[in-house]
Amino acid sequence: MPKYPLEKIRNIGIIAHIDAGKTTTTERILFYTGKTHKLGEVHEGTAIMDWMVQEQERGITITAAATTCFWRDCRFNIIDTPGHVDFTVEVERSLKVLDGAVVVFCGVGGVEPQSETVWRQADRYNVPRLAYVNKMDRTGADFPNVLAQMHERLGANAAAIQIPYGQEEAFAGVIDLISQKLCFYKDDTGKTYELLDIPADYKEKAEKAREVMLEKLSEADDAIMEKFLNNQPISAEEIHKSIRTAVIKGHFVPVLCGSSFRNKGVQLLLDAVCDYLPSPKDIPAIKGMNEKGEYEEISVSESSPFCALCFKVATDPYVGKLNYIRVYSGKLTSGVYSYNSTRRLKERVAKIVQMHANKQEIIQEVSLGDIAAIVGLRDTKTGDTLCEQDAPIILEPMKFPEPVISQAIEPKTKADQEKLAMALKKLEEEDPSFRVTYDSETGENIISGMGQLHLDIIIDRISREFNVSANIGKPQVAYKETLTKQVASVGKFIQQSGGRGQYGHVVLEMFPKEEGSKNEIEFIDKIRGGSIPREFIPAVKKGVLAAAKNGVIAGYPVIDVVVTLVDGSYHEVDSSELAFHMAAGIAFSEGMRKGSPILLEPIMDIEVVVPEEFMGTVIGDLTSKRGKIIAVGKRAKLRAIRGNVPLAEMFGYATTLRSITQGRGSSTMEPSAYAEVPSHISQKIVTQVSPTKPRA
């Protein structure tokens, strides 16, 4: 593979709500860049990027797939991500290592719930992005409405740099507002198009849209603002340069349009990726932690020591484990040893492969800016840093969402027991949002994930890929516990049994976290004057976190609590880490009992799209499920109902919705927050809790 200069590399992701057309767009990109010679279709199960059997059967993307292709003088490393909320971890880890993103919106659906989620994820990682409004040929497609929703729901400084030529079925091309030309498609493959002058009946519309584009761009660029306000001519070259600068800074989002399925607009999208999205040279230097615990910037250079982040682990039936990496500095050659600074061990790089979905091309080395996969790493996991042993550095790890649903799983036969354990271990390695715990009370394995579809796919893979027969329990909600008032508690662990004893004594102050905080226990050390020696403080923290795994109401994990260690005492001989670990656990449990504890349940954001005649029935049904309606909007000839509803009420909702809307309604859900369970339901849950309860 020829080597490309750094400024000609684009590491991009395709992100969107489910069914907005991400994979179809990626398939068209592969076709037009010459990577493939046949158009793959999602609905036919022939999409190259949807290579898993489960993806082909269901017509959805489940795992992020990587590929490399070439357009103009640039090399694209592309990751096609899933749109379903159950697989949001794939978007999370992809955005962590990408330099830019193309956010795909449905021309009919506009900004949908998962569109908002992926947008917020991109905001979190400061990923520059382009917006591509797809499906402009569909009935009900409304380009201005999608733009308005981007401003209103996403708060984006977005403006169209193209407008559609023709509406719905008559969509025939794209008007470029920068060059002021019409790109008219002559055939169905979209390979050939001609540039024409803007037709007279579209001139006024194009001029207005161009003015809005320059106005929005001037908010991000003072030079453009000066010329715009003084009515001075602005050249296409100046606009291109200004857009690129503003996009890289995250101050502007250019909006393009097209129909990937009808092969219109994709080449212009590729041009925009080349023109506006950053190269590895344009992104800020990444920071890491050195051996001294200090932050250190990694210089973007091939001559610098090698440093890369492992962002994904996958299992290949032929070569075993694949570790996907993004290289941030230096280069790595196959056959050498690399140092895993996160786990402090050396790993041998057996071979390096360039991925094209599930196919591999062996390459000899990877260097700065590359995304590739390594074969041969035994202990490297998602989020680990690979570097040179002489220049160790640990990059910021990734954070993954907590599971919201659990099921018990057990092998059907004793012969399957070992195979099931191996399958669960491999799947847990691959997917950080999938957890496996062992319930010692029942002897069952509990699998936890992001939703019912997530666990269904996991169970299907256990059966097909690992050939394991298993019994599955009913889905259970991952409830949590918290306290509601500030309390002080004391924990003492004292044992005397001849010879050296055990002595630990801690005083904790505990109070609930504010709403909107991260769902975790925050530990603060306020010991001054040596009432507890410094070497025992970590043991106190571990004791608190261990006790937080089992709450006092029904044994569910505790979240959203701030625990402050304020005082305590020790014995010069008898005090130990174990004693303080135990004392902290006792104090935490006592504090929870005194703090008026409550049960929390996961609340889902839901959007239901239905014909108007079913709107009242659907709203009534959601209200009966303790749902709260937030907004009702219009979407073409349909109604979009948005609200919040407890996950516990939503098992089997897809079947219910089909039944009450004669199969014409659709819904999407995603986790929103945790909220208090009403007292009468909480009492039922506590009464029903038995040793067979799966724990989150």
Side-chain angles (χ1 to χ4, degrees):
M1 189 179 289
K3 191 148 178 78
Y4 276 69
L6 213 51
E7 60 273 13
K8 296 297 181 185
I9 293 174
R10 301 286 182 272
N11 291 317
I12 63 166
I14 313 289
I15 60 175
H17 182 89
I18 189 169
D19 206 30
K22 294 176 304 303
T23 302
T24 302
T25 302
T26 310
E27 293 296 319
R28 297 314 185 259
I29 288 172
L30 297 179
F31 179 69
Y32 293 125
T33 56
K35 188 78 180 178
T36 59
H37 303 289
K38 186 186 173 190
L39 290 169
E41 302 294 0
V42 174
H43 61 280
E44 292 173 2
T46 57
I48 288 161
M49 300 304 276
D50 282 352
W51 57 270
M52 288 175 70
V53 178
Q54 291 87 350
E55 292 177 319
Q56 291 165 359
E57 286 178 352
R58 296 167 191 251
I60 60 168
T61 302
I62 292 167
T63 184
T67 189
T68 300
C69 57
F70 307 90
W71 182 254
R72 285 188 357 200
D73 56 349
C74 290
R75 171 183 166 177
F76 292 2
N77 294 319
I78 299 176
I79 298 180
D80 174 36
T81 65
H84 199 287
V85 66
D86 284 19
F87 311 107
T88 191
V89 67
E90 295 287 341
V91 184
E92 190 81 22
R93 59 182 171 191
S94 299
L95 286 172
K96 172 77 176 172
V97 297
L98 292 169
D99 302 330
V102 174
V103 190
V104 182
F105 296 92
C106 172
V108 182
V111 177
E112 298 170 278
Q114 189 65 4
S115 311
E116 294 182 47
T117 302
V118 298
W119 193 272
R120 287 195 301 270
Q121 286 172 309
D123 279 342
R124 191 157 61 247
Y125 291 113
N126 298 315
V127 177
R129 65 213 85 148
L130 306 174
Y132 173 64
V133 182
N134 190 23
K135 302 191 178 184
M136 290 312 302
D137 61 312
R138 290 267 299 272
T139 304
D142 189 341
F143 186 68
N145 182 49
V146 180
L147 262 175
Q149 287 182 10
M150 287 179 70
H151 297 145
E152 179 192 328
R153 294 185 187 175
L154 305 176
N157 183 31
I161 61 170
Q162 299 172 351
I163 58 171
Y165 175 64
Q167 194 88 2
E168 299 176 344
E169 278 293 319
F171 176 67
V174 167
I175 293 170
D176 188 329
L177 302 176
I178 301 171
S179 64
Q180 295 178 286
K181 291 284 182 185
L182 164 64
C183 175
F184 185 77
Y185 288 86
K186 300 173 80 172
D187 63 357
D188 286 342
T189 65
K191 271 197 165 181
T192 55
Y193 59 87
E194 54 185 337
L195 293 175
L196 308 169
D197 290 332
I198 298 173
D201 55 335
Y202 270 82
K203 272 207 164 159
E204 190 183 337
K205 197 177 183 180
E207 278 168 15
K208 279 184 181 173
R210 191 173 199 270
E211 198 169 310
V212 171
M213 174 189 75
L214 292 171
E215 188 182 327
K216 289 280 182 187
L217 192 55
S218 66
E219 290 177 25
D221 189 318
D222 292 342
I224 294 287
M225 180 184 280
E226 195 176 323
K227 285 198 168 188
F228 179 67
L229 293 174
N230 295 317
N231 288 323
Q232 293 174 354
I234 305 171
S235 69
E237 195 180 324
E238 285 176 298
I239 295 172
H240 281 304
K241 190 178 174 185
S242 175
I243 290 175
R244 179 174 175 77
T245 305
V247 167
I248 290 170
K249 287 180 180 174
H251 296 164
F252 181 70
V253 180
V255 184
L256 299 90
C257 61
S259 168
S260 298
F261 183 62
R262 300 289 176 201
N263 311 312
K264 294 176 173 68
V266 178
Q267 296 100 321
L268 300 181
L269 175 63
L270 289 168
D271 287 339
V273 170
C274 291
D275 291 336
Y276 308 132
L277 287 182
S279 72
K281 239 181 178 178
D282 299 313
I283 60 165
I286 194 161
K287 287 182 179 177
M289 193 88 76
N290 62 22
E291 276 186 313
K292 297 173 186 172
E294 302 163 339
Y295 278 105
E296 189 179 295
E297 279 195 354
I298 296 168
S299 59
V300 182
S301 166
E302 267 195 36
S303 57
S304 300
F306 169 72
C307 178
L309 182 74
C310 172
F311 67 94
K312 178 179 166 79
V313 176
T315 305
D316 184 275
Y318 303 107
V319 299
K321 196 159 83 165
L322 286 166
N323 291 77
Y324 287 72
I325 63 163
R326 159 70 198 264
V327 183
Y328 286 104
S329 72
K331 61 182 180 182
L332 178 72
T333 311
S334 68
V336 301
Y337 279 88
S338 183
Y339 182 63
N340 183 328
S341 54
T342 310
R343 301 184 189 279
R344 298 185 177 181
L345 50 87
K346 285 173 79 174
E347 293 263 55
R348 187 174 180 276
V349 179
K351 63 178 177 179
I352 304 171
V353 293
Q354 194 77 62
M355 298 301 297
H356 177 49
N358 62 330
K359 294 183 174 63
Q360 301 149 17
E361 177 191 340
I362 297 174
I363 54 177
Q364 290 309 305
E365 67 172 31
V366 279
S367 55
L368 170 59
D370 284 343
I371 290 175
I374 296 177
V375 179
L377 307 185
R378 292 185 172 207
D379 301 306
T380 300
K381 294 189 168 45
T382 301
D384 287 0
T385 303
L386 295 172
C387 59
E388 289 183 15
Q389 196 164 2
D390 297 339
I393 192 161
I394 299 176
L395 300 178
E396 185 189 5
M398 290 178 262
K399 288 182 181 171
F400 299 111
E402 286 293 312
V404 296
I405 187 171
S406 302
Q407 280 182 278
I409 185 170
E410 62 179 18
K412 281 188 177 175
T413 65
K414 272 201 167 182
D416 284 323
Q417 199 156 356
E418 202 173 309
K419 283 161 72 179
L420 178 64
M422 186 188 73
L424 291 174
K425 187 185 174 196
K426 283 190 175 178
L427 291 168
E428 198 175 19
E429 268 186 6
E430 283 186 28
D431 184 351
S433 64
F434 171 64
R435 309 275 168 84
V436 181
T437 52
Y438 181 73
D439 192 328
S440 55
E441 294 172 3
T442 63
E444 287 177 323
N445 284 309
I446 306 299
I447 57 173
S448 305
M450 298 305 297
Q452 188 59 58
L453 178 63
H454 187 196
L455 293 186
D456 285 349
I457 296 292
I458 292 283
I459 291 160
D460 190 41
R461 289 186 64 191
I462 288 169
S463 169
R464 289 196 201 196
E465 289 176 34
F466 300 95
N467 199 25
V468 177
S469 300
N471 295 319
I472 311 298
K474 282 185 179 178
Q476 302 284 332
V477 175
Y479 292 104
K480 307 285 185 191
E481 298 182 22
T482 193
L483 46 71
T484 55
K485 66 181 185 183
Q486 184 165 347
V487 293
S489 64
V490 178
K492 284 186 177 179
F493 182 73
I494 304 171
Q495 277 188 352
Q496 287 299 142
S497 55
R500 185 178 169 179
Q502 296 283 359
Y503 182 92
H505 168 220
V506 299
V507 181
L508 303 178
E509 281 182 1
M510 298 164 57
F511 60 90
K513 273 187 172 186
E514 293 176 11
E515 274 189 43
S517 60
K518 289 178 183 174
N519 297 334
E520 54 189 32
I521 301 294
E522 186 180 335
F523 179 81
I524 300 169
D525 168 24
K526 280 195 178 174
I527 290 293
R528 301 290 178 269
S531 55
I532 297 177
R534 303 309 306 166
E535 64 264 28
F536 296 136
I537 304 296
V540 175
K541 183 178 179 180
K542 282 179 185 172
V544 165
L545 296 179
K549 288 179 180 175
N550 296 95
V552 296
I553 302 175
Y556 290 106
V558 178
I559 61 169
D560 287 345
V561 176
V562 178
V563 180
T564 307
L565 175 61
V566 292
D567 202 2
S569 62
Y570 73 102
H571 188 280
E572 285 187 2
V573 176
D574 291 350
S575 285
S576 65
E577 286 189 0
L578 173 65
F580 277 100
H581 186 285
M582 298 297 290
I586 293 164
F588 183 85
S589 298
E590 188 205 332
M592 283 296 296
R593 287 188 193 93
K594 287 163 67 179
S596 303
I598 55 170
L599 265 186
L600 300 173
E601 62 182 342
I603 302 295
M604 311 298 281
D605 278 339
I606 187 168
E607 182 177 75
V608 186
V609 179
V610 291
E612 192 153 359
E613 62 262 36
F614 300 110
M615 190 173 74
T617 311
V618 169
I619 289 175
D621 182 62
L622 286 174
T623 307
S624 73
K625 296 180 188 297
R626 300 191 281 131
K628 180 183 173 186
I629 306 303
I630 294 169
V632 178
K634 270 203 162 186
R635 186 166 296 171
K637 295 175 183 176
L638 304 171
R639 287 286 188 165
I641 303 157
R642 302 188 82 179
N644 301 129
V645 63
L647 174 63
E649 305 284 350
M650 298 308 286
F651 292 123
Y653 184 67
T655 309
T656 305
L657 184 63
R658 276 198 297 272
S659 170
I660 63 177
T661 63
Q662 295 171 15
R664 294 166 68 192
S666 64
S667 69
T668 53
M669 281 193 302
E670 61 179 64
S672 168
Y674 272 85
E676 183 178 353
V677 179
S679 57
H680 66 285
I681 295 172
S682 178
Q683 284 166 13
K684 265 189 200 174
I685 293 166
V686 174
T687 307
Q688 289 168 2
V689 166
S690 68
T692 58
K693 162 185 76 64
R695 303 237 170 97

